[in-house]
């Protein structure tokens, strides 16, 4: 990895990089969580509940949000090998990108 601009993190493995690596390794289990997602959902600066809040939202109302993401995946013609978390990630990133508020981190 390239050196990080964050002091004390010479290998670049801050929380965002670590989260993105985990999301890449386990796409059906770990959502992407970075500054774009944090701002889109107006999460607190120190956020320890996102990892529990998203699965709870996916299960709420008998899985209505999960089912909606699955329908969007099917409508887009994407195979079931792409998990609903990736669908969530793409929709959130696209929405935030249109807002033009935040550069990627």
């Amino acid at each position: 990895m390239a050196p990080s601009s964050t002091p004390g993190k010479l290998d670049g493995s801050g929380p965002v990089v670590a989260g993105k690596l985990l999301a890449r390794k386990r796409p059906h289990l770990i959502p992407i969580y970075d500054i774009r997602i944090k701002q889109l959902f107006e999460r607190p600066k120190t956020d320890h509940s996102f990892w529990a809040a998203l699965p709870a939202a996916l299960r709420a109302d008998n899985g209505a949000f999960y089912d909606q993401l699955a329908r969007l995946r099917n409508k887009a013609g994407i195979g079931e090998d792409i998990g609903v978390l990736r669908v969530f990630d793409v929709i959130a990133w696209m929405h935030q990108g249109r807002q033009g508020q935040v550069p990627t981190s």
Side-chain angles (χ1 to χ4, degrees):
M1 264 186 200
S4 172
S5 60
T6 305
K9 295 188 179 184
L10 298 177
D11 65 354
S13 62
V16 171
V17 171
K20 287 181 178 182
L21 287 171
L22 285 169
R24 174 75 173 132
K25 182 72 174 169
R26 300 285 185 249
H28 293 277
L29 299 174
I30 307 291
I32 302 259
Y33 187 62
D34 61 10
I35 194 163
R36 284 183 145 195
I37 301 300
K38 186 180 264 194
Q39 285 193 349
L40 177 63
F41 293 103
E42 300 176 353
R43 303 298 299 180
K45 182 175 177 148
T46 303
D47 188 2
H48 299 290
S49 62
F50 178 78
W51 300 103
L54 183 57
L58 290 168
R59 288 190 302 268
D61 299 324
N62 293 317
F65 183 39
Y66 180 96
D67 292 342
Q68 182 180 14
L69 291 170
R71 281 191 301 275
L72 289 170
R73 176 184 60 196
N74 292 340
K75 188 175 182 179
I78 301 169
E80 290 186 17
D81 58 319
I82 305 299
V84 296
L85 287 179
R86 292 296 78 90
V87 175
F88 169 80
D89 293 336
V90 169
I91 291 169
W93 260 70
M94 288 176 70
H95 176 78
Q96 195 64 355
R98 276 185 277 164
Q99 299 291 323
Q101 296 175 352
V102 181
T104 61
S105 64

